[in-house]
Amino acid sequence: MSYDITEYKNTIKDTKKWLADGLSRSTGKKFLMAMTGLFLITFLMVHLFGNLLLLVNDNGISFNEYSKNMSHSKIIRVMEIFLFTGFIFHIGFGATVSIQNRLARKIPYAVIKSSETSSFFSRYMFHTGSLVFIFLLLHLNSFFIPHRVLESGLSMYESALIVFHNPLFVLFYIFAMILLSFHLMHGFQSAFQSLGIHHNKYTPSIKLLGRFFALVVPLVFAVIPVYIYFWK
Amino acid sequence: MKMNIKIWRQAFQTTRGNFQTYILENMDDNMSFLEMLDVLNEKILHEGGDPVSFSHDCREGICGSCGVVINGRVHGPLQGVTTCQIYMRHLKHYKTLVIEPWRARAFPIIKDLVTDRQAFDRILQAGGYISINTGGIPDANATPIGRHIADQAFAAASCIGCGACVAACPNASANLFVSAKISHLAFLPQGQPEKNHRVESMLKAMDKEGFGNCSNTAACEFECPKGITLKNIAKLNREYFEALFRSSLEEHPTHPHHGKGDEVAHAAFHDTHEK
Ligand code: HEM
Ligand code: SF4
Ligand code: FES
């Protein structure tokens, strides 16, 4: 059997059509949002363990060691590409579904009692997500860009000290973590529902775990800059 | 009982609507909400006005025709009931009732409180059926079905297509309705042969109507008069992911250029699939 270039092209075309059709349905979009959301959640955990090294009382030696290892590791480099793609998909689809949802009801109700029928967190996913996005840009600007792109001479630890001695940034950091907590209060369990994982046996545990995660992870993130601001 | 009744009035689909306020006195507590509208319409007719249009049929919570939003709550302030099952005694703590139609782009207003819910019919036509003749009554033990599976199928089948889920959803999503229709057939053996095709075409039809996406807010579950749950939406999602990998090629024709030089098949493909 011989293969020429058009056949390869057509195979790619067929696959693209299949994926594009399948994932452009509302259920497909939510599938991607949930997968990327859960991926971002695992990223948060890895990131948090790294940050905890800032609390070690050794003038940043272990933290610098860690961040150096991270930036030299090939696996991490590859994961970074996944991470950026994940963010782009999550944000892109998040914006798309939010716009479509807004357009689906052009004339709003005169009396709105949605607080009686659904949770606050579930209705403001776009708002909390967007503010987390703004935070993300600032965050990349203060850590990722100077170290990875511009290769400034400072160590990661020194950067962290400088950034977290700026009271405005510390306040914004805390604010962003509150919003991340809101985002996850709904997002964590919602991702499982979007993937079709729902059963009386384990859904209550997923919901509990989600609330615990949404409370504890952003809290620990937020404690670190506060600690540095006051005690380092 | 005396009340101010503020109602959305709209003459045609294309005209702009607005709220109008009426005052009703001497109402009986035990009058149903729809009877209150009947009394109001008598009054409007006596005064030579245009009576308020609203949908209703069975008036006992089984047909799914009725449905308005009363003071921000779909099918009124109670859970698990339709609008026709609301009585004035449930509403007497309000001074003013604000009555609005279902609001969704996919449910255009025909007049006043009457919305066009044919979008649901078109979704059903896309796959909410099984293509066999029912024939005579089958033997009760010919098709064994586990008790809790049968219960779930029955629970899903109790959806009356009222549209309250769409009306209650902050995104005007139809996922709860579609999931009820999908689960009801997907749980049963009779629904198996067409299950992949069903979920793909019903979701395609749903998206085409301009409903929003599901954000899992669960407002639908809260307001559904028939207790359809989010578990059905999870089932719908699972059915869809399965179909993505298993539906047949006839439903997803591939580009027929794999054999060399088959111009006829190629042209036919473009004719039927890329219009
Ligand atoms: C570390 C950051 C983030 C994490 C861990 C995260 C996690 C999640 C998770 C788990 C979900 C639930 C998915 C589902 O319902 O299936 C979700 C939903 C959502 N996310 Fe994020 N997210 C993050 C950042 C963002 C950002 C930056 C945006 C920007 C706009 C965003 C926008 C949204 C929106 C709009 C939804 C709701 C989609 C819907 O249900 O309609 N998220 N997120
Ligand atoms: S799922 Fe419930 S609210 Fe939605 S159409 Fe069916 S009965 Fe009405
Ligand atoms: S009129 Fe039939 S359900 Fe209300």
Side-chain angles (χ1 to χ4, degrees):
Chain A
M1 207 167 93
S2 77
Y3 249 81
D4 66 25
I5 189 76
T6 34
E7 279 150 28
Y8 281 117
K9 272 192 189 152
N10 285 331
T11 307
I12 291 170
K13 206 168 160 184
D14 289 344
T15 313
K16 264 170 75 188
K17 183 176 181 320
W18 170 57
L19 287 179
D21 279 3
L23 297 176
S24 62
R25 293 274 170 279
S26 71
T27 313
K29 280 185 281 224
K30 283 310 301 279
F31 174 79
L32 278 182
M33 290 229 57
M35 292 300 274
T36 51
L38 288 178
F39 178 61
L40 295 181
I41 283 175
T42 57
F43 153 73
L44 282 182
M45 289 196 283
V46 176
H47 194 322
L48 184 61
F49 282 114
N51 285 12
L52 283 175
L53 294 176
L54 280 168
L55 298 180
V56 179
N57 221 347
D58 61 356
N59 281 326
I61 296 171
S62 38
F63 182 72
N64 281 336
E65 186 78 358
Y66 165 81
S67 56
K68 202 177 275 163
N69 287 343
M70 286 296 263
S71 52
H72 289 153
S73 150
K74 292 256 166 15
I75 301 175
I76 295 298
R77 278 290 157 106
V78 174
M79 286 310 284
E80 253 170 31
I81 300 174
F82 275 108
L83 182 64
F84 277 105
T85 324
F87 264 114
I88 289 168
F89 270 90
H90 191 77
I91 294 167
F93 278 98
T96 316
V97 297
S98 305
I99 291 167
Q100 286 175 333
N101 295 347
R102 190 53 64 83
L103 290 176
R105 175 170 294 131
K106 287 199 174 138
I107 304 175
Y109 289 110
V111 185
I112 296 175
K113 293 261 179 67
S114 49
S115 59
E116 290 177 12
T117 61
S118 61
S119 81
F120 168 85
F121 308 118
S122 70
R123 281 176 277 121
Y124 291 96
M125 289 302 274
F126 180 68
H127 309 72
T128 54
S130 304
L131 286 163
V132 170
F133 178 59
I134 294 172
F135 167 76
L136 191 72
L137 294 180
L138 275 175
H139 191 64
L140 286 177
N141 185 40
S142 43
F143 293 104
F144 189 83
I145 296 188
H147 287 269
R148 289 296 178 71
V149 187
L150 303 176
E151 316 253 335
S152 75
L154 289 176
S155 77
M156 205 55 145
Y157 184 70
E158 286 164 332
S159 286
L161 288 193
I162 295 170
V163 171
F164 294 148
H165 276 110
N166 177 346
L168 282 180
F169 199 90
V170 174
L171 282 179
F172 185 61
Y173 197 103
I174 296 169
F175 174 67
M177 287 308 113
I178 294 174
L179 292 165
L180 179 64
S181 169
F182 287 4
H183 199 72
L184 293 173
M185 278 286 172
H186 177 69
F188 192 100
Q189 55 83 31
S190 173
F192 289 89
Q193 168 75 8
S194 298
L195 296 176
I197 302 168
H198 188 140
H199 197 291
N200 288 358
K201 283 194 268 189
Y202 44 73
T203 295
S205 319
I206 293 176
K207 287 192 173 164
L208 198 67
L209 183 67
R211 269 185 229 126
F212 178 77
F213 188 93
L215 202 69
V216 170
V217 170
L219 183 72
V220 179
F221 265 116
V223 160
I224 293 166
V226 174
Y227 174 78
I228 291 181
Y229 183 75
F230 286 110
W231 289 286
K232 281 271 165 94
Chain B
M1 185 173 26
K2 179 183 162 186
M3 247 185 209
N4 298 326
I5 321 273
K6 205 172 153 189
I7 300 188
W8 182 261
R9 303 300 314 262
Q10 179 171 339
F12 302 101
Q13 191 173 319
T14 45
T15 50
R16 283 179 125 214
N18 62 322
F19 281 102
Q20 262 170 48
T21 307
Y22 305 88
I23 298 171
L24 269 188
E25 285 167 40
N26 301 327
M27 276 188 289
D28 192 316
D29 270 14
N30 294 323
M31 207 182 209
S32 81
F33 172 80
L34 294 188
E35 278 164 352
M36 179 279 288
L37 288 181
D38 293 335
V39 171
L40 175 67
N41 275 345
E42 292 280 326
K43 186 174 167 230
I44 295 176
L45 272 173
H46 271 292
E47 291 162 3
D50 177 23
V52 180
S53 298
F54 60 96
S55 315
H56 61 101
D57 187 16
C58 70
R59 295 205 179 199
E60 55 179 359
I62 55 171
C63 74
S65 305
C66 62
V68 293
V69 179
I70 308 170
N71 289 11
R73 287 290 303 276
V74 168
H75 281 314
L78 303 189
Q79 270 187 282
V81 295
T82 52
T83 302
C84 58
Q85 293 169 297
I86 295 282
Y87 288 81
M88 294 314 285
R89 59 178 177 271
H90 302 135
L91 304 171
K92 68 177 173 193
H93 53 288
Y94 293 118
K95 275 208 187 89
T96 303
L97 291 186
V98 182
I99 306 172
E100 302 174 73
W102 285 175
R103 296 249 184 239
R105 181 174 54 165
F107 289 164
I109 293 169
I110 298 173
K111 185 174 185 296
D112 302 335
L113 304 174
V114 181
T115 51
D116 176 356
R117 282 167 280 173
Q118 284 182 75
F120 273 7
D121 299 338
R122 288 187 290 269
I123 296 174
L124 287 180
Q125 281 157 10
Y129 51 79
I130 54 171
S131 309
I132 49 168
N133 295 326
T134 48
I137 300 169
D139 248 342
N141 52 7
T143 319
I145 301 170
R147 168 67 195 272
H148 88 281
I149 300 285
D151 285 350
Q152 288 181 72
F154 269 124
S158 63
C159 163
I160 53 177
C162 62
C165 40
V166 175
C169 176
N171 311 333
S173 156
N175 267 44
L176 195 67
F177 166 77
V178 177
S179 77
K181 303 304 168 191
I182 291 284
S183 306
H184 142 56
L185 292 172
F187 276 124
L188 298 176
Q190 292 86 344
Q192 300 311 304
E194 291 159 300
K195 62 182 256 164
N196 294 329
H197 168 71
R198 174 178 306 115
V199 66
E200 288 195 321
S201 9
M202 285 179 78
L203 280 180
K204 189 173 177 182
M206 177 182 97
D207 282 352
K208 213 170 124 193
E209 297 292 345
F211 292 105
N213 304 283
C214 177
S215 288
N216 307 324
T217 67
C220 54
E221 181 182 71
F222 191 89
E223 293 285 37
C224 172
K226 297 297 157 187
I228 307 293
T229 64
L230 283 197
K231 264 163 111 176
N232 292 287
I233 299 186
K235 172 91 177 152
L236 164 72
N237 296 346
R238 291 198 297 279
E239 288 287 316
Y240 182 64
F241 304 144
E242 187 188 327
L244 266 185
F245 291 95
R246 300 187 58 175
S247 60
S248 69
L249 270 178
E250 284 86 76
E251 282 137 32
H252 291 280
T254 52
H255 204 266
H257 221 190
H258 293 260
K260 271 198 192 122
D262 196 351
E263 263 74 37
V264 181
H266 187 230
F269 175 84
H270 281 291
D271 251 24
T272 43
H273 299 294
E274 284 177 14
K275 277 206 174 136

